[in-house]
Amino acid sequence: MKTRAVYCFGYTTKWVAGKRQKNYTKQLPGYHFYLLLLNGEHKENAVLLLQALIRKRFNDKYTVTILSHRLQYLRKQSHNQQYFFNTIISNGLKVYEDPKHPIYPLKIDMVRDIEFTMNYWKNRMLAAGSFLATAQNEKMNQPALITNALLQQAVQQIIMALLDLFLSYHPNIYSTKYMLRLSECVPGIEPLFDNSEEDRKLRQLLSANIDMIKHKNLDTESIEDSDRLYTKCRDFYDMAKRLGQTELELLANLK
């Protein structure tokens, strides 16, 4: 891959077992970094391979979520997508830049389209609420696997709403695991799952490939697990709404 530049735009701290240490300890935490990679060509599965390579190289102490985009397409993105890239290029921590091909901001003093952001938030959260309501109201009339698929769609809609509202970013990878990790760079968002055995199981259920509905026996999943997953997803939705409402009020004052 012909990498033109790499920017870091955030990080989270990784404590043992996913929990922050309350008392003094000599053990230093690990870190998860969020990186924007600008490249000159597309390579299949490059993001997953790079993320796995870094995880292995540092024995899981340092991990990354990578946003990979071809430089030549940046100016063809929507206005708010350009705003995101422009902000990272202007203010992010530059980790690497090809010395022969320096990167410059797309525009100077670029202004965000707040009206679009408010409308996008409204529609994504409306869709998420509808998926959650259907999952809850029809759970006794449908297989647990169908309920899990509805919850997956709800969570993806919530994360897309959060990423647009707080970052003006629309992901080009729709893996649920990838989106869950990316959502953690949003200020104030608590992870949907912790590292407990039960939560790892629920994360796996939520992240399952929705295409399995075409092939898998629909009666194999547990209704009880789906109920627990619904509760977590509903709490995540409520948290997102609270944080989103505060952010929307701040944005409204800028109009």
Side-chain angles (χ1 to χ4, degrees), residues 71-124:
L71 188 62
Q72 67 189 84
Y73 292 141
L74 294 193
R75 296 185 185 278
K76 298 179 181 180
Q77 300 287 338
S78 67
H79 177 84
N80 275 9
Q81 277 277 73
Q82 288 190 38
Y83 175 84
F84 168 78
F85 293 123
N86 204 62
T87 300
I88 300 303
I89 292 171
S90 300
N91 304 313
L93 175 63
K94 187 184 297 181
V95 179
Y96 167 81
E97 182 179 64
D98 184 342
K100 296 181 180 179
H101 303 282
I103 305 296
Y104 300 100
L106 303 178
K107 297 178 182 178
I108 298 175
D109 298 328
M110 191 172 185
V111 178
R112 185 180 185 184
D113 185 347
I114 295 176
E115 195 66 37
F116 172 87
T117 294
M118 290 181 167
N119 190 54
Y120 189 85
W121 170 268
K122 175 184 175 182
N123 283 282
R124 298 289 72 70

Side-chain angles (χ1 to χ4, degrees), residues 194-210:
D194 58 34
N195 203 34
S196 66
E197 182 177 347
E198 179 178 319
D199 269 26
R200 287 198 300 270
K201 179 179 181 181
L202 295 180
R203 185 192 296 115
Q204 191 64 34
L205 290 177
L206 187 70
S207 303
N209 188 337
I210 197 171

Side-chain angles (χ1 to χ4, degrees), residues 120-134 150 153-155 157-158 237:
Y120 189 85
W121 170 268
K122 175 184 175 182
N123 283 282
R124 298 289 72 70
M125 294 302 284
L126 178 62
S130 297
F131 281 124
L132 286 169
T134 303
L150 289 167
Q153 293 300 306
V155 167
Q157 292 288 323
I158 296 166
Y237 173 80

